[in-house]
Amino acid sequence: MIELDARRLMCPMPVIKTQNIIKTLVSGDNVRVTCTDPGVMQDIPAWCRINGHTVLKTEEIDYEYILTIEVGSD
Amino acid sequence: MATQRKAVALISGGLDSLLAAKVMLEQGVHVEGINFYTGFCVEGHTHAIRKKDKAKPKRNNALWSAEQLGIKLHIIDIIEEYKDVLINPKHGYGANMNPCLDCKIFMVGKAKQWAEENGFDFIITGEVIGQRPMSQRKDTMPVISEESGADDLLLRPLCAQNLPETKPEREGWVKRDELYDFSGRTRKPQMALAEKFGFDDYAQPAGGCCFLTDKSYSVKLTDLWASRGKRDYEIDDIMLLKVGRHLRPKPNFKLIVAREEGENNFLQGYKKQFITLRTMSHKGPLTLLDGTASDDDLKLAAQIVARFSQGREAEEVDVEVTDNGVHKNFTVKPLRSDEIEDAWRV
Ligand code: SF4
């Protein structure tokens, strides 16, 4: 599992960071992104839907928003 | 069968770029979107800072547009490079601090570079002649094409019929007679086309795609530059200009006073970088002090902060000032509301 710390970044920066790390990965890899801007709960899933990745899990723990993503094939 | 051509579309999140991309898709072109983040974009979730806005989270319209179109969207961070565009715009500013023409030239140039790197054939934008006073005029359209380096690889599907033929039209990659001839400030043709394509619930930003078209934001930015004696900024500066009440009681310092709980929480994140003031005897907002301040200045700042606390009518309010982990305490009489000068408000 790859970890990405996107705490204290405001949208769309966490989306950009997620996109940039996914570019370096291959299909089937998993990434866990930890954020503090609640906007990510909307924006990262939208970005994943558009670009063919799957959000496996979303969690909200102590004001942190954590998304686990499986990288898609394209 | 002819090879399918590829276009990269500048997607701002507004209706025009949505339509332009759709027109290309209808012609069988492969389209992917590109969206640039300057730091000033209204598409950020800065509004999520304010607690009252959290109840209805706002979508990112660029992502929404891409989803409607069924295309990929690449979001590019241009915060650093954009500084030069904003600080030294060759073509100047619009009504506020918006360097729209230079901004467009820069973005189209970046899109051109992206297209080359990713094997795309041409670039499209949702520009319409006469739609915006600064960047979308008949005489500025060729300036954008030329100065961005995109030249005749830049196609504006919504007004192409009013412009000279571009390479994608000449080569038959797209059909010119199925492009449009929109012009002027009217939004009617766009709305009709949106209806034809079945788009509703699209975003209609009033001023433009970024905070730089906003008057009060521009005033704050100009004040920031004037106070520092140089035109420069960091991403934190841009963010803080969107948050809180800004007061400059003296040229050497400014106060950023949280207006509600959401802003209070947001400003907490900046406690290490700034001198902060908190009222101790009464509930009150977290305040950041940007600049340098003598003890007299700090006392004045404390009186102002006390004014915005629940102790505003009290004889005395205790205020704690923290600078680099070192605390100082002041007991002050809150300023009266008529002592908060209008000229202080940035
Ligand atoms: S409104 Fe802002 S983002 Fe849009 S063209 Fe003008 S300067 Fe650029």
Side-chain angles (χ1 to χ4, degrees):
Chain A
M1 174 86 72
I2 319 278
E3 294 285 343
L4 174 64
D5 181 358
R7 293 180 181 92
R8 285 176 294 283
L9 295 175
M10 305 295 291
C11 276
M13 283 311 292
V15 187
I16 297 175
K17 296 261 177 207
T18 304
Q19 162 192 275
N20 293 353
I21 203 163
I22 285 182
K23 254 190 228 158
T24 68
L25 304 175
V26 295
S27 174
D29 282 351
N30 286 1
V31 196
R32 219 168 82 110
V33 193
T34 306
C35 314
T36 44
D37 180 351
V40 297
M41 297 301 252
Q42 252 203 321
D43 290 2
I44 292 182
W47 182 84
C48 287
R49 284 196 301 274
I50 293 165
N51 292 283
H53 312 294
T54 312
V55 178
L56 300 175
K57 193 159 90 178
T58 57
E59 298 160 274
E60 192 183 328
I61 304 166
D62 289 341
Y63 299 103
E64 291 193 341
Y65 305 88
I66 306 158
L67 296 98
T68 310
I69 303 163
E70 184 181 310
V71 178
S73 56
D74 180 24
Chain B
M1 214 186 98
T3 29
Q4 190 187 26
R5 293 292 169 173
K6 291 178 162 185
V8 56
L10 263 73
I11 299 287
S12 66
L15 176 59
D16 295 358
S17 58
L18 174 72
L19 292 174
K22 182 69 178 171
V23 170
M24 287 296 94
L25 288 170
E26 291 285 298
Q27 291 208 19
V29 175
H30 173 89
V31 180
E32 293 189 18
I34 195 165
N35 172 261
F36 295 106
Y37 182 57
T38 62
F40 297 97
C41 307
V42 286
E43 291 307 317
H45 270 276
T46 334
H47 44 269
I49 296 167
R50 296 192 77 171
K51 201 172 176 224
K52 69 176 178 53
D53 296 336
K54 274 196 181 134
K56 54 171 178 37
K58 220 184 100 183
R59 67 184 185 210
N60 176 310
N61 283 308
L63 286 167
W64 180 85
S65 295
E67 201 165 10
Q68 296 298 304
L69 293 160
I71 63 170
K72 287 192 174 181
L73 182 72
H74 310 274
I75 311 178
I76 318 263
D77 164 10
I78 54 163
I79 295 170
E80 277 305 313
E81 294 162 273
Y82 193 73
K83 285 182 185 171
D84 189 48
V85 178
L86 173 56
I87 295 170
N88 306 303
K90 182 177 155 197
H91 298 281
Y93 299 100
N96 294 297
M97 288 303 287
N98 49 312
C100 289
L101 188 47
D102 289 84
C103 176
K104 270 277 151 60
I105 292 166
F106 178 74
M107 287 183 181
V108 172
K110 291 294 280 183
K112 158 111 191 309
Q113 191 189 339
W114 188 93
E116 279 166 1
E117 287 164 5
N118 292 278
F120 278 61
D121 301 297
F122 62 105
I123 303 137
I124 62 161
T125 69
E127 290 164 292
V128 169
I129 295 172
Q131 183 80 203
R132 296 227 187 265
M134 184 175 195
S135 56
Q136 302 191 24
R137 296 195 318 252
K138 185 125 194 163
D139 58 326
T140 57
M141 294 269 174
V143 175
I144 296 170
S145 307
E146 276 160 37
E147 294 192 13
S148 65
D151 294 315
D152 67 349
L153 291 178
L154 174 60
L155 175 71
R156 286 98 165 188
L158 301 185
C159 64
Q161 290 183 354
N162 296 328
L163 291 167
E165 214 175 29
T166 59
K167 187 167 179 191
E169 296 158 280
R170 246 188 352 261
E171 300 284 328
W173 303 343
V174 303
K175 296 189 202 80
R176 183 171 168 96
D177 57 0
E178 289 175 21
L179 300 174
Y180 293 85
D181 62 352
F182 297 172
S183 76
R185 292 188 73 87
T186 170
R187 305 287 299 154
K188 285 205 185 102
Q190 283 94 321
M191 280 147 84
L193 192 57
E195 200 180 324
K196 182 182 153 204
F197 288 140
F199 293 133
D200 50 22
D201 195 25
Y202 43 81
Q204 293 268 43
C209 20
C210 84
F211 273 103
L212 297 169
T213 58
D214 182 77
K215 185 153 193 272
S216 75
Y217 190 88
S218 296
V219 168
K220 289 193 184 99
L221 182 62
T222 314
D223 166 78
L224 182 90
W225 285 348
S227 73
R228 292 191 182 164
K230 63 174 195 279
R231 293 153 61 86
D232 197 5
Y233 60 89
E234 296 303 327
I235 184 77
D236 281 341
D237 297 321
I238 310 180
M239 290 297 161
L240 286 170
L241 293 185
K242 298 177 194 170
V243 184
R245 206 187 298 278
H246 290 232
L247 299 153
R248 183 177 296 286
K250 294 259 189 91
N252 51 309
F253 73 94
K254 176 173 83 168
L255 299 173
I256 305 173
V257 188
R259 287 172 295 193
E260 41 86 281
E261 199 188 327
E263 290 191 340
N264 228 51
N265 294 340
F266 182 78
L267 292 184
Q268 296 277 355
Y270 290 90
K271 273 179 12 189
K272 288 208 179 88
Q273 287 153 262
F274 290 88
I275 299 173
T276 56
L277 294 99
R278 276 193 316 149
T279 50
M280 307 303 280
S281 51
H282 301 79
K283 271 189 110 164
L286 179 64
T287 300
L288 306 185
L289 187 150
D290 183 20
T292 53
S294 65
D295 271 359
D296 280 348
D297 292 338
L298 290 178
K299 186 171 167 243
L300 172 63
Q303 288 183 287
I304 295 169
V305 174
R307 173 74 222 167
F308 291 105
S309 78
Q310 288 183 3
R312 65 180 63 88
E313 303 299 341
E315 272 309 302
E316 285 183 337
V317 172
D318 296 332
V319 179
E320 183 184 76
V321 179
T322 309
D323 183 5
N324 253 322
V326 182
H327 306 296
K328 264 188 201 168
N329 291 293
F330 292 83
T331 300
V332 295
K333 183 167 172 42
L335 288 190
R336 291 189 317 271
S337 68
D338 61 351
E339 288 173 317
I340 306 265
E341 293 176 24
D342 275 346
W344 295 355
R345 293 181 199 271
V346 184

